[in-house]
Amino acid sequence: MKAIILAAGKGKRFNEKEIPKPAVNVCGVPLILRNIFFLKKLGLDVVVVGGHKFDRLREILPEDVELIKNNSIERGNAFSVLCAQNKLKGRFLVLMGDHVYTEEFLRKTLNAPANSAIVCKESDLIHTDEATKILAREGKILDIGKEIEEWNYIDTGAFLCEDSIFKTLNDLFCEENHVEWSDVINRSDMNVYENEEPWMDVDMKEDLKKAEDLLMRSLKKDEDGFISRHINRRFSRSITKRLVNFNIEANLISIFSFLLCIASSLFFYGKILWIGGILAQFSSVLDGCDGEIARLKLKESKFGGFLDSILDRYGDAMIMLGMFSLLKFNFLNISILVAALFGSLTISSTAWRFENDFKEKIHTHEGWIRYIPAKRDERMFIIFLGGILGTIWLPAIFWSLFIIAILSNLRIIGRILIARKMRVA
Amino acid sequence: MKAIILAAGKGKRFNEKEIPKPAVNVCGVPLILRNIFFLKKLGLDVVVVGGHKFDRLREILPEDVELIKNNSIERGNAFSVLCAQNKLKGRFLVLMGDHVYTEEFLRKTLNAPANSAIVCKESDLIHTDEATKILAREGKILDIGKEIEEWNYIDTGAFLCEDSIFKTLNDLFCEENHVEWSDVINRSDMNVYENEEPWMDVDMKEDLKKAEDLLMRSLKKDEDGFISRHINRRFSRSITKRLVNFNIEANLISIFSFLLCIASSLFFYGKILWIGGILAQFSSVLDGCDGEIARLKLKESKFGGFLDSILDRYGDAMIMLGMFSLLKFNFLNISILVAALFGSLTISSTAWRFENDFKEKIHTHEGWIRYIPAKRDERMFIIFLGGILGTIWLPAIFWSLFIIAILSNLRIIGRILIARKMRVA
């Protein structure tokens, strides 16, 4: 299926002389490129219709995107669709070029039946005054426009059409010189399809910050542990927000996070426990940033994930060794160290091995076992607490290693039981 | 595509009153079931034509296999194919029910063009006297039979046919009452397709041992390390050969291998180093048996692999802890222990993570890095040597941990470089 992105308009309220609105950076990437990236990921071919500042648009678009020029943008945005008529057969998706969509929004949109306007309910992401509203009854559109008085949906700027719509489009241009896409929708027999996933219209410069927040909120990973979800992500997101507009590679952050682990280890070794603990926790926060930045900049790489996973493990081992240097070197303590290190390293590997064997993510099967805090964010938080408490009461170091040893091995045993259940299921 | 297995014959030379030859156990599994298992794995539906001891055959066949009875086995084995005429449309595979095929043989057979007799050259697996021979020129069969004087191929009992062959089959049965499948081939316009993967014909009871050896030899795993390939597999196979006909579950062997690790650890702890070393090595040999038995008995399970992988890791940690108890408890030694344990645990996890990320096996990319001995079989062998040498020279224990620490971490770094190259490729 093809998607057509309407990117010819002037964006009067946006106040940007140099670049067309769809080319404006949001989280370090021109917003149209993010939409194109998601569309391709979902298997669509993309056609872009440009007009205003056309050459600038051409510069940023990747080669495998078809770019068409609309030389009469004064005839309304429906004319852009007309320009692409011979490229669009069967079903196709129409998107406004200045809207920021999340991947989830677009994924869900593809589930809509043919001839649907994708709509949503009013929300604080939307300037209701400026938005195009829709009145629908029993799933059918009765009216659409910015100024209509009675309405029950907001238009999201996404439409799943069939090429039969070109009949209406041509009819309208026979009648009038200027036609807006909403006029075409009004004249066609269209359904509404509700999609509550986030999106927003970038109307003014002030919207850019809101759009970045929107994308930032969509970063949560299902596998996140408790600490990551409730503490680390807040910090990592605000760091990410600052870093994303600089030219910093995600792998560099992975390496920096690893260096923090070494520093933490050295501070433990040097008996400045509270700094050791804080650095461990800070490293754990930063460990979220590399992935966030990679995803926001559409530069997620297999190598990046692989490197990060190994550096994390080295980091874990270094910190534990540093902590251990504070304890008595007897066989019991050494056994606790081995058990804690073993548990830490094996928690993540069981997840990978499980995915290899069962082709599913283990966290979707973990049930109550996921409440045993043993993921990296959770272990690092225990180390952080150990470092802080250890400053006034040294045995806290022993106990934090002990707790990690117990919890992580418990969770590993829990995972064996899960795999066993999978066999029966 | 369908496969038809001809399992109606009496097997006169086989001397077995109670069960039909295809139902005879080879490595703990009736030989016809192994062929059916492989065929299904390759995506084929299976039709079996039985006759002699039909009820016994029905008992052992799984429900999703179509079983047809040939009530006139005295009319030759071609009559069995005729019995299945209305089940076989388009292309189908004909297999002799008393042949032992390897999975690789069947996989390669499916690459043959239509209307091919799958053939091989003479080998020591084959009783040339008893075999059906084929004379072919320029890929076409000129003659086929047990008694022909001039021949250049051996018939493997596998034929990739099209349903047009039923014309010939029906013609032949109009002319004669008794028709052998080789008569049908002789009358048809068939090609030869050479397949050098192993198979064999079970003619006499003495062939069963040879067939077990054949299957045993096909067990090699591509990921095997140097020690496993050249030492462990020899021992593990001969153990497997003894165990496979008993009702022992593969997981039980995994657990026993883990218990040997604990025993090894305790002997190291108890300062009887040579027993510790030998037990570690023996555990490593047994670690091959669980997979071998599971594969031979067609009971390879995801849970089994998962459990084995975790128990191996616990075993590694236990043995190293036991060895460490012999060393001075100073920070340098503890660091070596941590590095050795880290390396041991991370070698396998990088392989899993790599497979998750890149959807390929890392060993196919390792190049010269695979000569750094750090896989489990190789590490266990170093521990074995450490235990033996340590009996007369205690520092050998330190050095074996040290060597494991260096080699495994080197190989991990090598794997990071491989992943980096994958990005560029």
Side-chain angles (χ1 to χ4, degrees):
Chain A
M1 193 164 79
K2 281 195 177 172
I4 171 173
I5 300 182
L6 309 185
K10 271 192 169 151
K12 290 170 222 149
R13 280 185 308 279
F14 194 68
N15 248 335
E16 174 64 75
K17 292 269 148 51
E18 293 310 312
I19 50 176
K21 202 161 49 163
V24 164
N25 272 359
V26 177
C27 291
V29 175
L31 75 85
I32 193 172
L33 288 192
R34 176 169 287 107
N35 291 337
I36 290 172
F37 179 84
F38 292 151
L39 291 168
K40 281 195 209 159
K41 199 168 160 191
L42 294 168
L44 280 78
D45 293 319
V46 181
V47 181
V48 173
V49 184
H52 178 65
K53 302 279 178 205
F54 183 79
D55 291 335
R56 187 59 196 263
L57 204 58
R58 176 152 53 195
E59 278 167 28
I60 64 159
L61 287 186
E63 278 184 9
D64 58 350
V65 168
E66 279 186 271
L67 178 60
I68 297 170
K69 187 163 184 181
N70 172 354
N71 285 310
S72 314
I73 57 176
E74 70 288 352
R75 300 189 67 186
N77 63 354
F79 196 76
S80 289
V81 182
L82 200 63
C83 291
Q85 177 164 10
N86 63 350
K87 308 276 182 194
L88 302 171
K89 303 283 167 244
R91 258 197 200 199
F92 58 94
L93 177 67
V94 178
L95 289 183
M96 298 303 136
D98 57 356
H99 286 23
V100 171
Y101 299 106
T102 55
E103 186 176 346
E104 279 318 305
F105 179 93
L106 294 173
R107 189 189 308 277
K108 198 175 165 198
T109 288
L110 297 185
N111 296 334
N115 299 316
S116 297
I118 316 303
V119 300
C120 68
K121 293 289 189 185
E122 220 176 343
S123 90
D124 52 1
L125 281 172
I126 297 154
H127 306 289
T128 311
D129 297 348
E130 305 292 338
T132 305
K133 292 118 196 153
I134 285 178
L135 176 66
R137 290 272 178 274
E138 291 167 8
K140 288 283 176 198
I141 294 183
L142 302 182
D143 201 2
I144 177 171
K146 291 201 174 183
E147 317 282 316
I148 62 177
E149 285 194 356
E150 198 192 347
W151 54 272
N152 47 6
Y153 291 110
I154 307 275
D155 155 37
T156 67
F159 303 85
L160 211 72
C161 302
E162 288 198 325
D163 53 10
S164 55
I165 204 164
F166 284 109
K167 170 88 176 61
T168 318
L169 196 56
N170 283 299
D171 288 352
L172 276 166
F173 273 108
C174 288
E175 296 165 21
E176 302 196 43
N177 194 43
H178 176 107
V179 180
E180 288 295 324
W181 180 245
S182 55
D183 302 333
V184 182
I185 298 301
N186 231 339
R187 181 75 74 90
S188 316
D189 181 31
M190 292 288 272
N191 310 298
V192 289
Y193 180 80
E194 218 179 315
N195 186 341
E196 74 289 355
E197 297 294 336
W199 69 280
M200 65 173 284
D201 179 3
V202 176
D203 239 10
M204 295 170 286
K205 282 232 166 129
E206 297 74 57
D207 292 336
L208 289 177
K209 240 189 74 59
K210 264 171 88 178
E212 297 202 334
D213 287 340
L214 170 86
L215 292 175
M216 216 61 85
R217 271 198 303 278
S218 69
L219 285 176
K220 201 187 66 187
K221 278 179 91 170
D222 290 343
E223 303 98 294
D224 276 354
F226 183 85
I227 299 295
S228 186
R229 198 182 302 263
H230 296 282
I231 301 178
N232 295 3
R233 282 285 174 212
R234 287 177 200 206
F235 291 98
S236 69
R237 273 189 213 139
S238 81
I239 296 170
T240 296
K241 225 160 95 178
R242 278 162 186 76
L243 292 180
V244 76
N245 290 308
F246 293 97
N247 187 16
I248 295 176
E249 232 192 299
N251 292 344
L252 213 67
I253 298 171
S254 306
I255 290 169
F256 186 67
S257 163
F258 169 63
L259 293 178
L260 282 179
C261 289
I262 296 183
S264 160
S265 173
L266 291 175
F267 275 98
F268 276 119
Y269 189 81
K271 300 197 173 55
I272 313 178
L273 283 62
W274 63 277
I275 300 188
I278 288 173
L279 287 177
Q281 175 59 17
F282 185 45
S283 162
S284 170
V285 168
L286 260 195
D287 189 33
C289 292
D290 47 9
E292 288 171 359
I293 289 186
R295 267 172 285 157
L296 282 176
K297 292 193 157 183
L298 315 177
K299 285 190 173 165
E300 237 179 328
S301 84
K302 294 168 182 175
F303 171 67
F306 186 76
L307 177 72
D308 185 38
S309 77
I310 297 181
L311 290 180
D312 283 356
R313 296 165 74 85
Y314 274 109
D316 287 357
M318 295 294 295
I319 292 178
M320 287 190 200
L321 190 60
M323 291 171 82
F324 185 78
S325 71
L326 301 166
L327 304 185
K328 281 222 182 69
F329 294 171
N330 59 38
F331 193 67
L332 174 73
N333 284 351
I334 291 169
S335 304
I336 301 287
L337 170 68
V338 166
L341 181 63
F342 178 87
S344 302
L345 297 178
T346 302
I347 276 291
S348 48
S349 13
T350 45
W352 304 334
R353 172 80 198 209
F354 187 92
E355 196 177 331
N356 273 349
D357 286 340
F358 296 95
K359 312 293 170 217
E360 292 182 52
K361 299 261 184 199
I362 198 166
H363 71 88
T364 59
H365 291 275
E366 273 194 305
W368 64 268
I369 293 164
R370 73 166 168 273
Y371 296 115
I372 302 175
K375 294 198 143 190
R376 186 160 199 262
D377 54 311
E378 295 158 338
R379 296 189 316 259
M380 287 302 228
F381 195 71
I382 293 172
I383 288 172
F384 163 65
L385 294 180
I388 298 294
L389 271 176
T391 309
I392 46 174
W393 183 60
L394 191 62
I397 295 294
F398 169 85
W399 288 109
S400 56
L401 286 177
F402 183 79
I403 289 169
I404 289 173
I406 297 292
L407 294 179
S408 55
N409 284 288
L410 269 181
R411 190 145 171 183
I412 291 164
I413 292 167
R415 286 179 169 184
I416 296 179
L417 299 178
I418 291 169
R420 190 145 179 276
K421 259 205 293 199
M422 299 282 290
R423 181 181 57 165
V424 182
Chain B
M1 195 165 79
K2 281 196 176 171
I4 171 174
I5 300 182
L6 309 186
K10 270 192 170 151
K12 288 170 225 151
R13 279 186 308 280
F14 194 68
N15 247 335
E16 173 64 75
K17 293 268 148 53
E18 293 311 311
I19 50 176
K21 202 161 50 160
V24 164
N25 272 0
V26 177
C27 291
V29 175
L31 74 85
I32 193 172
L33 288 192
R34 175 169 288 108
N35 291 337
I36 290 172
F37 180 84
F38 292 151
L39 291 168
K40 281 195 208 159
K41 199 168 161 192
L42 294 167
L44 279 78
D45 293 319
V46 182
V47 181
V48 173
V49 184
H52 178 65
K53 302 277 178 206
F54 183 78
D55 291 334
R56 187 59 194 263
L57 204 58
R58 177 152 53 195
E59 278 167 28
I60 63 159
L61 287 186
E63 278 183 11
D64 57 350
V65 168
E66 280 186 89
L67 178 60
I68 296 171
K69 187 163 184 183
N70 172 355
N71 285 310
S72 314
I73 55 175
E74 71 287 353
R75 299 189 67 185
N77 64 353
F79 196 76
S80 289
V81 182
L82 199 64
C83 291
Q85 176 163 10
N86 64 350
K87 308 277 182 193
L88 302 170
K89 303 283 166 243
R91 257 194 201 203
F92 58 93
L93 177 66
V94 178
L95 289 183
M96 298 302 136
D98 57 356
H99 286 24
V100 171
Y101 298 106
T102 56
E103 185 176 347
E104 278 318 304
F105 178 93
L106 294 173
R107 189 189 308 278
K108 200 175 164 199
T109 289
L110 297 185
N111 296 334
N115 299 316
S116 297
I118 316 303
V119 300
C120 68
K121 293 289 190 185
E122 219 175 344
S123 90
D124 51 1
L125 281 172
I126 297 154
H127 306 289
T128 312
D129 297 347
E130 304 292 337
T132 305
K133 292 118 196 156
I134 286 178
L135 176 67
R137 291 272 179 272
E138 290 167 9
K140 288 284 177 197
I141 294 183
L142 302 183
D143 201 2
I144 177 171
K146 291 201 173 181
E147 317 282 316
I148 61 177
E149 286 195 356
E150 199 191 348
W151 54 272
N152 46 7
Y153 291 110
I154 306 275
D155 155 38
T156 67
F159 302 85
L160 211 72
C161 302
E162 289 198 324
D163 53 10
S164 55
I165 204 165
F166 284 109
K167 170 88 176 60
T168 318
L169 197 55
N170 283 299
D171 288 351
L172 276 165
F173 274 108
C174 289
E175 296 165 21
E176 303 195 42
N177 193 44
H178 176 106
V179 180
E180 288 294 324
W181 180 245
S182 55
D183 302 333
V184 182
I185 298 301
N186 231 340
R187 182 75 74 90
S188 316
D189 181 30
M190 292 287 273
N191 309 298
V192 289
Y193 180 79
E194 217 179 315
N195 186 341
E196 74 288 356
E197 297 295 337
W199 67 280
M200 66 173 283
D201 180 3
V202 176
D203 239 9
M204 295 170 285
K205 282 232 166 128
E206 297 73 56
D207 292 336
L208 289 176
K209 240 189 74 58
K210 264 170 90 178
E212 296 202 335
D213 287 340
L214 170 87
L215 292 175
M216 216 61 85
R217 271 197 304 278
S218 70
L219 286 176
K220 202 186 66 188
K221 277 179 92 171
D222 290 344
E223 303 99 294
D224 276 353
F226 183 85
I227 299 295
S228 186
R229 199 183 303 264
H230 296 282
I231 300 178
N232 294 3
R233 282 286 174 211
R234 287 176 201 208
F235 291 98
S236 69
R237 274 189 213 139
S238 80
I239 296 170
T240 296
K241 226 160 94 179
R242 279 162 186 76
L243 292 181
V244 77
N245 289 308
F246 293 97
N247 187 16
I248 295 176
E249 232 192 300
N251 292 344
L252 213 68
I253 298 172
S254 305
I255 291 169
F256 187 68
S257 163
F258 169 63
L259 293 178
L260 282 179
C261 289
I262 296 183
S264 159
S265 173
L266 291 175
F267 274 98
F268 276 119
Y269 188 81
K271 299 196 173 56
I272 313 179
L273 283 62
W274 62 278
I275 299 189
I278 288 174
L279 288 177
Q281 175 60 17
F282 184 45
S283 161
S284 170
V285 167
L286 260 195
D287 189 33
C289 292
D290 48 9
E292 288 171 358
I293 289 186
R295 268 172 285 155
L296 282 176
K297 292 194 157 183
L298 314 177
K299 286 190 173 167
E300 239 180 326
S301 85
K302 294 168 180 175
F303 170 67
F306 186 76
L307 177 71
D308 184 38
S309 77
I310 297 181
L311 290 180
D312 283 356
R313 297 164 75 83
Y314 274 109
D316 288 357
M318 294 294 294
I319 292 178
M320 286 190 200
L321 190 61
M323 291 171 82
F324 185 78
S325 71
L326 301 166
L327 304 185
K328 281 222 181 70
F329 294 171
N330 59 39
F331 193 67
L332 174 73
N333 284 351
I334 291 169
S335 305
I336 302 287
L337 170 68
V338 166
L341 181 62
F342 177 87
S344 301
L345 297 178
T346 302
I347 276 291
S348 48
S349 15
T350 45
W352 304 334
R353 173 80 198 209
F354 187 92
E355 195 177 331
N356 273 349
D357 286 340
F358 296 95
K359 312 292 169 217
E360 293 182 52
K361 299 261 185 199
I362 199 165
H363 71 87
T364 59
H365 292 275
E366 273 194 306
W368 64 268
I369 293 164
R370 73 166 169 273
Y371 296 115
I372 303 175
K375 295 197 142 189
R376 187 160 198 262
D377 54 311
E378 295 158 337
R379 296 190 316 259
M380 287 301 228
F381 195 71
I382 294 172
I383 287 172
F384 163 65
L385 293 180
I388 298 295
L389 271 176
T391 309
I392 45 173
W393 182 60
L394 192 62
I397 295 294
F398 170 85
W399 288 109
S400 56
L401 287 177
F402 183 79
I403 289 170
I404 289 173
I406 298 291
L407 294 179
S408 56
N409 284 286
L410 269 181
R411 190 145 170 182
I412 291 164
I413 292 167
R415 287 179 168 184
I416 296 179
L417 299 178
I418 291 169
R420 190 146 178 275
K421 259 206 293 199
M422 299 282 291
R423 181 181 59 166
V424 181

